Structures are given as C-alpha cells and as structure tokens.
C-alpha cells in the first residue's frame, strides 16, 4: 500500500501507512515541541505538559480517558524528547475513530486542573529524583549538559525539581497555547486504516488548534568538556563523545554504519576489545543522536573503579584506529545489522507510525524503505573512515559518575585521542 499525506487548512499534516493484513492500527500526534524549545525558566515544561495532557479535558475526566481506551483493549501513551512530544495509541482497527478522538481531545481541551497539577508535579519530581538516583541514567543528562552548555539543547528533558515545583499553571497553559499550533503537529496512523476516512475524522476533530505559529529555535553549539561526580558506587558510569551531525547531513548513513561497527553489537570493536578480550566491562555501546541542526556521538561504558584507568585508553585507541583502518567485512556486518533492523521495524505498526511522522517532520515527506536500504548499501570503508575522521577529531566530551579517582585527567584523554 502507498503512504499518503494530506495537509489541512490549519497547517496540520496527516500521514498514513496502510497495512491491510493486520487487525490493529497505531495512531498518534507528533508535536514539534521539546526541551530545546524551552527558555531557561521553563525547563521541563514540555514534559510536565505531556503528563498533564492525560489528567482531564473539558469532555473527559482523567479516569474517563483511561477507561475509554482500555474498554476497547487499547493503550495510550506519550513521551517527550529534545525536539518533539508524542501522544499515541494502539487499538483494534474498528477503534481508530476513538483513538484519534482521544488524542485530539487531550491536545485541544486539556483543563490543566490545579488539583491534578499539584499531584502530577509531585509525580514528576519523584521521576527527577529517581533519575538522579540512577547513575547509568543521569550520566547521559550530564553528558548532554557538558556537550551543549548554557543552551536549551543541553538542559535535561525532565527539568529540575525546583523548577517544576515553582512553575505556575498559567505558564504551562500559555506554553501549550503558543506552541501547539497546527503547523507544528503531524498526525500519523499505520496499520489497518483508510487514509480518506482517517483524514475526514481528523479534520472534524482538530478544529481548535491555534493558527500557524512561526517559532525561532536557538541553534545548537557543540562545545565539549569534562564532568566528574564522585559517588560511592561499585562502578564508574562513563560517557565519552564528540560533536555529531544532523538528520540531513550527507554523512548520516555513514555515521550509522560507523556507530554499529564501533559499538553496535557483540561483534563490534569496542565489545570485542573491552569485554571479550580484556573483561573490563559488562556493558559498552555507542549511540548517535541527530537533531535538526547538529548532533552528538557517544560511547557508554560501565566499569569498576579499579578498571577505569585501563578502559579509557582502550576506548581511545579504538576511536583512533577506526579513523585509519576499516575492513570490508566489518562494514558488511554493520550494514546488514542496520538493514535488518530497518526491515524488522516494518512488522510493528507502532514503529511504522512513528517513522512516518518523524520522516514527515524531518524531511517533509516519507522516505521509501528501498531508498533507505540503498543509502545503507552505498556506505563503504572510505565513507566510514571519512566520517570517523570528521567527528573523532572534534573536542571530546567526558562525563563520569562513580569512583572516578582512577579516571585519567581530561587533558590526558584529549592528548591520547590526538
């Protein structure tokens, strides 16, 4: 079946990816608003707003929202990221009208009831405390803050406990009214869904969105640096990384292959060298985060305080080696991993729904899977070494939490990488 796109008069875009052989459908709204769109004194408002959206509308109480979706065996959820907030549901095919009605209701008619807000504030503050008590979680926030200091992209998605505690209801409501406009929302559906019928439903539901609202986004400025926090733990949780690239960068697919080759599986260089050959870690992997106008590449490892001094040189050596020598066999394995994960995702209507929405937001259209596979297949050893040389010569970012006394000084790590 063919992916179709329709734009309503209010700027809202609708995309469907029909799969008529399944009995379910995934439906969602992806809003181009996230942590990077918040002013300093509003840090965490996008995530708090995501929580509050389920706490009652002009038509439904918080309990009625969950009872209605669960009465048909469906489920409703949401998440906040640095560049978007998503509200989504999965239901049987005959319940698509209910799912889109619920999502439209919470996006347009949330009451942000003061009593519910106070309760949810407490929930979010508990979430913040839980993250702070989880070193292999919070270290990624510290890594982000160190890479992008003094700018929205570096601030935590959850915000701070003090900020959430003192955020007035009027501020949250104003943020939603100003940011949740039609031109910044993509409504997507994948599975057993008819495009024309879905558009008709969405058109009748999304009638209260504010007019198109142009918005400025502070550009990303990567700086890098060093963050260390001593804690009485069994392990040091370490994230090392470098400047990254945007979704639209020509090296996007070479970077994906590089990340897989270096730390994307059990056959990857870092896993083999640090775990299999030396036994220095239980967990080690790479990740590449791409944004609208930049990105971040990172390596996570957890190791004992006595082993961190041996582990960091191993990581540095592998980072240097991949700039100079890459073998065709490992590139082929990395390409195969990426292609299989791309094609396996097609078996999930939820994954297809999110993919369609994000591609429309990022590229302005859906990208055929054949084109994605073709771009992955086009990556060769020279492309991998080129992007490694491009990124791994930038200023490094180091973030570590735990018994860090044996971790080499930042200048020594930088010298080793060079």
């Amino acid at each position: 079946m063919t992916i179709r796109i329709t734009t309503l008069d209010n700027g809202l875009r609708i995309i469907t990816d029909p799969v008529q052989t399944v009995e379910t459908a995934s439906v969602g709204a992806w809003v181009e608003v996230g942590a990077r769109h918040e002013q300093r004194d509003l840090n965490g408002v996008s995530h708090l707003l995501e929580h509050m959206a389920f706490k009652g509308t002009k038509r439904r109480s918080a309990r009625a929202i969950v009872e209605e979706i669960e009465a048909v065996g469906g489920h409703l959820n949401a998440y906040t990221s640095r560049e978007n907030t998503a509200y989504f549901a999965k239901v049987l095919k005959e319940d698509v009208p209910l799912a889109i009605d619920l999502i439209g209701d919470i996006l347009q008619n949330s009451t942000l009831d003061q009593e519910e807000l106070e309760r949810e504030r407490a929930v979010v503050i508990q979430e913040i405390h839980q993250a702070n008590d989880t070193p292999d979680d919070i270290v990624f926030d510290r890594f982000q803050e160190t890479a992008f200091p003094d700018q929205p992209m570096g601030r935590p998605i959850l915000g701070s406990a003090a900020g959430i505690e003192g955020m007035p209801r009027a501020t949250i409501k104003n943020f939603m009214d100003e940011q949740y406009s039609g031109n910044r929302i993509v409504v997507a559906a994948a599975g057993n869904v008819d495009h024309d019928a879905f558009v008709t439903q969405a058109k009748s539901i999304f009638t209260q969105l504010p007019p198109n609202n142009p918005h400025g986004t502070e550009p990303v400025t990567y700086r890098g640096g060093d963050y260390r926090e001593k804690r009485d733990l069994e392990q040091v949780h370490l994230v090392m990384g470098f400047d990254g690239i945007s979704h639209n960068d020509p090296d996007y697919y070479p970077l994906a292959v590089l990340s897989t080759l270096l730390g994307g599986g059990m056959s990857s260089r870092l896993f083999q060298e640090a775990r299999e050959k030396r036994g220095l870690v239980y967990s080690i992997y790479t990740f590449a985060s791409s944004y609208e106008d930049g990105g971040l590449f990172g390596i996570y490892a957890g190791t004992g305080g006595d082993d961190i001094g041996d582990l960091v040189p191993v990581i540095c050596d592998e980072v240097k080696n991949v700039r100079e020598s890459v073998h065709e066999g490992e590139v082929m394995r990395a390409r195969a991993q990426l292609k299989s994960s791309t094609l396996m995702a097609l078996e999930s209507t939820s994954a297809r729904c999110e993919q369609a929405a994000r591609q429309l937001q990022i590229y302005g259209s859906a990208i055929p899977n054949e084109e994605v596979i073709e771009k992955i297949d086009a990556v060769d050893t020279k492309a991998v070494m080129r992007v490694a040389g491009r990124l791994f010569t930038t200023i490094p970012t180091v973030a570590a939490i735990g018994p860090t006394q044996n971790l080499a000084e930042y200048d020594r790590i930088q010298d080793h990488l060079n």
Side-chain angles (χ1 to χ4, degrees):
M1 301 293 288
T2 304
I3 292 178
R4 293 175 61 189
I5 300 168
T6 297
T7 302
L8 302 185
D9 292 341
N10 61 5
L12 183 140
R13 289 163 291 170
I14 300 169
I15 184 168
T16 60
D17 181 5
V19 184
Q20 303 299 339
T21 55
V22 300
E23 295 298 314
T24 63
S26 295
V27 177
W30 274 257
V31 188
E32 292 180 75
V33 176
R36 76 170 300 183
H37 303 106
E38 303 166 348
Q39 299 297 320
R40 183 183 296 277
D41 61 342
L42 293 180
N43 182 217
V45 65
S46 298
H47 176 253
L48 179 57
L49 182 56
E50 171 225 312
H51 275 245
M52 285 304 301
F54 295 98
K55 296 305 173 182
T57 72
K58 296 172 185 176
R59 295 169 49 201
R60 296 174 171 98
S61 66
R63 182 167 181 170
I65 290 172
V66 295
E67 285 184 344
E68 283 191 45
I69 193 70
E70 292 183 358
V72 298
H75 58 81
L76 189 64
N77 211 335
Y79 69 80
T80 307
S81 71
R82 301 195 181 277
E83 293 192 310
N84 67 86
T85 307
Y87 303 85
F88 51 92
K90 185 164 185 175
V91 292
L92 297 176
K93 61 184 180 182
E94 58 268 23
D95 298 314
V96 167
L98 171 64
I100 192 63
D101 183 62
L102 281 167
I103 291 170
D105 193 21
I106 64 177
L107 290 187
Q108 298 174 108
N109 301 312
S110 288
T111 56
L112 303 179
D113 177 77
Q114 187 67 49
E115 189 175 334
E116 290 282 5
L117 175 59
E118 296 312 316
R119 275 196 293 266
E120 208 58 28
R121 256 192 237 280
V123 171
V124 171
I125 289 170
Q126 290 298 328
E127 186 179 358
I128 292 169
H129 291 329
Q130 179 177 306
N132 287 332
D133 286 346
T134 312
D136 56 340
D137 184 354
I138 200 66
V139 71
F140 289 94
D141 275 358
R142 303 296 179 257
F143 175 69
Q144 190 87 14
E145 292 173 60
T146 306
F148 302 113
D150 302 316
Q151 54 191 298
M153 186 59 83
R155 296 180 197 133
I157 292 170
L158 301 184
S160 67
I164 297 302
E165 180 67 37
M167 196 173 292
R169 175 189 179 278
T171 298
I172 303 167
K173 186 178 188 308
N174 289 341
F175 184 85
M176 187 174 197
D177 290 343
E178 292 171 3
Q179 302 291 342
Y180 278 48
S181 57
N183 64 317
R184 298 176 72 175
I185 299 176
V186 169
V187 172
N192 200 321
V193 61
D194 176 78
H195 180 82
D196 292 329
F198 188 70
V199 168
T200 299
Q201 293 158 9
K203 191 173 182 178
S204 68
I205 291 167
F206 289 94
T207 59
Q208 302 172 53
L209 295 172
N212 291 359
N213 183 20
H215 64 288
T217 302
E218 184 178 327
V220 168
T221 303
Y222 175 85
R223 294 199 180 100
D226 186 57
Y227 174 89
R228 297 168 191 228
E229 180 183 333
K230 286 189 177 180
R231 289 195 191 183
D232 185 14
L233 303 171
E234 292 296 324
Q235 283 199 314
V236 179
H237 298 275
L238 171 73
V239 184
M240 290 177 56
F242 306 87
D243 196 6
I245 61 176
S246 73
H247 292 288
N248 288 294
D249 194 286
D251 278 331
Y252 179 82
Y253 288 99
L255 176 59
V257 173
L258 168 63
S259 181
T260 304
L261 177 155
L262 185 60
M266 294 176 67
S267 66
S268 67
R269 290 189 177 193
L270 285 170
F271 191 93
Q272 285 293 313
E273 193 66 30
R275 174 168 162 163
E276 298 297 279
K277 291 176 73 172
R278 301 171 187 263
L280 292 173
V281 298
Y282 173 73
S283 178
I284 187 167
Y285 59 86
T286 57
F287 59 93
S289 302
S290 290
Y291 308 120
E292 177 184 318
D293 55 348
L296 196 55
F297 181 90
I299 301 163
Y300 167 81
T303 189
D306 293 338
D307 293 322
I308 189 68
D310 295 326
L311 175 63
V312 170
V314 172
I315 294 174
C316 291
D317 285 342
E318 292 305 319
V319 166
K320 288 194 299 182
N321 291 342
V322 80
R323 299 190 325 229
E324 301 166 0
S325 176
V326 174
H327 306 298
E328 178 61 30
E330 57 185 343
V331 171
M332 289 177 62
R333 282 197 303 273
R335 289 197 306 248
Q337 285 178 263
L338 286 171
K339 288 189 292 184
S340 66
S341 63
T342 299
L343 296 175
M344 287 177 184
L346 299 179
E347 298 178 6
S348 163
T349 60
S350 299
R352 293 179 80 123
C353 185
E354 180 170 25
Q355 176 179 279
R358 292 295 292 140
Q359 285 182 349
L360 186 55
Q361 286 182 328
I362 294 165
Y363 306 113
S365 64
I367 309 299
N369 288 296
E370 295 78 11
E371 183 177 330
V372 173
I373 298 301
E374 184 178 320
K375 289 181 177 180
I376 294 171
D377 276 332
V379 177
D380 58 16
T381 56
K382 290 182 179 178
V384 173
M385 286 188 288
R386 181 187 68 245
V387 72
R390 175 183 169 188
L391 298 189
F392 295 166
T393 53
T394 61
I395 296 171
T397 298
V398 177
I401 296 176
T404 59
Q405 60 272 12
N406 293 326
L407 176 60
E409 294 297 318
Y410 177 76
D411 289 345
R412 285 184 58 195
I413 295 173
Q414 196 167 13
D415 289 342
H416 197 147
L417 288 165
N418 294 330

